[in-house]
Each structure stands twice: as C-alpha cells, then as structure tokens.
Amino acid sequence: MKSRFSFDFKALQLKITDASTNPHMIYIKEHLVRDHTADKPSGRTLFIVNVPPYVDEQSITNAFKEAGTIQSVHFSEKPNTINSNTEKFTVDPCKPSFRVCYLVFKKVAYLQNALKLKELQPMNLDAHIVLGINKFIHEHNESVFKPMELKNRIEIFMKRCDEKIKKEIEKEKQLEQEDDEGWITVTKRSKVQSFARTEKVENKIMAKENKSKKKKELTNFYTFQIRESKMKHIVSLRQKFDEDKKKIAQIKQSRRFTPF
C-alpha cells in the first residue's frame, strides 16, 4: 500500500557525477500554498525535500538543467520559512542537516518539464564541486571576507538601518497628527510639553517638598516634644510682648499735642 507521501511527491536520484554508484534520493512536487510570495510565485516554483547539506545553488541548477531556465534558488531548513534579506558580516557555516529547496523557473512550462523528468543531470557538470581536503580549505577561504568586501557589507547594512529608522520616524509623525475625531496617537518619540525651570519655579517646588516633609513628621507625639513646644510658645509670646512695649513707647514719645 502506497503512503500519502509517495502520491504527493515524485522521487528522483541525485548524483554528483555519472560515475556515482550511490546516488541520493530527493522528492519533488509543485509548490502549492494559499498565499504565494513574490520570491516563490505560483505556477513556477518547484518544491524539493531531503536535499543534502553539500548541495548548493549551482549544483541543483545543473541537476534540473534539462527542464528549463531557472530564475532563482532558495534553500531553507524548514518549509515556508521567510528568508531574511539582511546583509550579514560573516557567512553562516553550512549545517550538516538536510534542507528543503524552492526552484523558481522563468516559465510555467519549465516547471511542468521538471515534474515530468525521470532522471536528473549530474550536479558536477562544470566541475565546481570540491571534494576531500580541498573542500575544507575552500570553505574556510570563502568564510573569510576581504577588508573592502566587509566594509561594503557594513555600509550597506548601516544604510538599510538608517532608511528603516527614517521610515519609522515618518510613520510616527503621521500618527501624531490629529485625526477627524480630534484624537492624537502618542508614540515613544512624542515630545512632552514641559515648563521652564526658573528660580521662582524651583523655589515653589522646594517649598512644596518641605511642606510635605513637615506633614510626615510626628509633632507633639512624645512628652518632651509637648514640653519643648510649650516652652518655645512662651518664649515667642514674651518676645512679641517686649516688641509691642517698645512700639508703644516709641509712639508715646513721638506723639505731640498741638492745640493751636
């Protein structure tokens, strides 16, 4: 009894050269999803699973050369994952795991030709695959960027970041505009209306803080506090009494009776 997997996919042998005695088996079918993206258009994309980690873009292009012209190749660890177009400063090492591949043909007829293939071409048609110790040397050399190439990648990365930040600022400025109902969206870059911290304002703030501190203090709570407060009150009354006496004496001296 055939499984559902065998009905959906078609099995093909993937060889490195014509002399390969142990080919690898891959499975292909048309990429059919509800929402197609621009990089994987409907009717022109071939979905391939069980792709070995040593297969690169040139290898898979050589294998499906007889079907027609291939527009682009996308590798992914899992199906339907979004590939990031962000420039990286270093090359990600090839993970030793099987992947999925999306082959995008230039014409719909080329996809139909690929689905009808019974045998694939060898991947190493142009002798670009490096084997043995030379493979590891080549991968190491390719993983190291030249100074100028790294500089260009950094400049491209920073340029994209600046453009992204600029677009976010413009979008937030549009949100800050008053809508038809009079509402304004507050964003993280919105300016908060603040007052000038003049000396007069500072004095008011300090007076308010001192007043709040005094409210928190416990007055006349202990017996000695009550006794001290009474003594201070008596002293202040005596000082005021002496001042009043002096004022009355000054008024009497300055008063002059002049009947005529």
Side-chain angles (χ1 to χ4, degrees), residues 8-241:
D8 292 341
F9 289 87
K10 180 179 179 179
L12 292 173
Q13 291 184 348
L14 191 65
K15 298 180 180 180
I16 296 178
T17 63
D18 285 324
S20 298
T21 56
N22 298 309
H24 185 80
M25 195 69 70
I26 61 172
Y27 302 91
I28 66 171
K29 73 171 185 176
E30 184 179 355
H31 180 53
L32 297 173
V33 291
R34 291 182 180 178
D35 300 324
H36 283 272
T37 56
D39 59 337
K40 300 167 189 173
S42 175
R44 294 192 290 118
T45 305
L46 182 69
F47 179 53
I48 311 172
V49 299
N50 206 34
V51 180
Y54 55 82
V55 176
D56 58 5
E57 184 175 339
Q58 186 61 40
S59 301
I60 203 72
T61 302
N62 291 340
F64 286 89
K65 190 175 182 180
E66 286 188 351
T69 307
I70 296 173
Q71 180 177 328
S72 61
V73 181
H74 305 281
F75 290 102
S76 179
E77 293 183 8
K78 296 179 180 179
N80 298 326
T81 54
I82 300 173
N83 295 327
S84 177
N85 294 324
T86 306
E87 291 289 335
K88 295 183 179 180
F89 302 153
T90 57
V91 178
D92 292 335
C94 182
K95 296 182 179 180
S97 60
F98 288 83
R99 300 169 292 170
V100 299
C101 178
Y102 298 91
L103 277 184
V104 181
F105 292 92
K106 282 193 173 181
K107 296 182 179 180
V108 177
Y110 296 159
L111 173 62
Q112 300 302 321
N113 294 339
L115 294 171
K116 295 176 183 178
L117 288 175
K118 295 182 179 180
E119 186 178 358
L120 299 177
Q121 293 294 315
M123 294 186 294
N124 203 19
L125 287 174
D126 48 3
H128 76 284
I129 297 177
V130 184
L131 303 174
I133 189 66
N134 294 327
K135 174 179 180 294
F136 296 102
I137 295 172
H138 176 73
E139 289 179 353
H140 173 74
N141 293 335
E142 290 294 323
S143 64
V144 179
F145 283 120
K146 295 179 181 179
M148 289 302 298
E149 185 179 356
L150 182 61
K151 181 183 177 183
N152 293 335
R153 282 177 172 266
I154 293 172
E155 289 177 352
I156 293 171
F157 179 81
M158 295 306 299
K159 185 179 179 181
R160 290 184 176 179
C161 285
D162 293 339
E163 290 176 355
K164 184 179 178 181
I165 292 171
K166 186 178 179 181
K167 289 180 180 179
E168 288 178 356
I169 293 172
E170 291 177 355
K171 186 178 180 180
E172 288 182 359
K173 284 183 178 179
Q174 292 177 358
L175 291 173
E176 290 174 4
Q177 300 296 325
E178 187 175 342
D179 59 10
D180 298 336
E181 298 180 356
W183 292 96
I184 298 175
T185 303
V186 179
T187 62
K188 62 181 179 180
R189 291 188 177 88
S190 299
K191 292 183 179 180
V192 179
Q193 298 294 333
S194 59
F195 54 84
R197 297 293 292 268
T198 60
E199 186 177 356
K200 187 178 179 181
V201 174
E202 288 283 352
N203 293 334
K204 282 186 177 180
I205 293 172
M206 293 301 296
K208 190 175 181 180
E209 288 181 358
N210 293 331
K211 188 177 180 181
S212 62
K213 286 181 181 179
K214 287 181 179 180
K215 286 182 178 179
K216 293 178 182 179
E217 292 178 357
L218 293 174
T219 56
N220 299 331
F221 184 75
Y222 298 103
T223 306
F224 75 92
Q225 288 180 333
I226 298 172
R227 185 168 58 249
E228 287 179 358
S229 63
K230 286 182 178 180
M231 293 295 293
K232 288 179 181 180
H233 184 61
I234 292 170
V235 171
S236 63
L237 289 175
R238 286 177 179 176
Q239 289 178 352
K240 189 177 181 182
F241 178 71

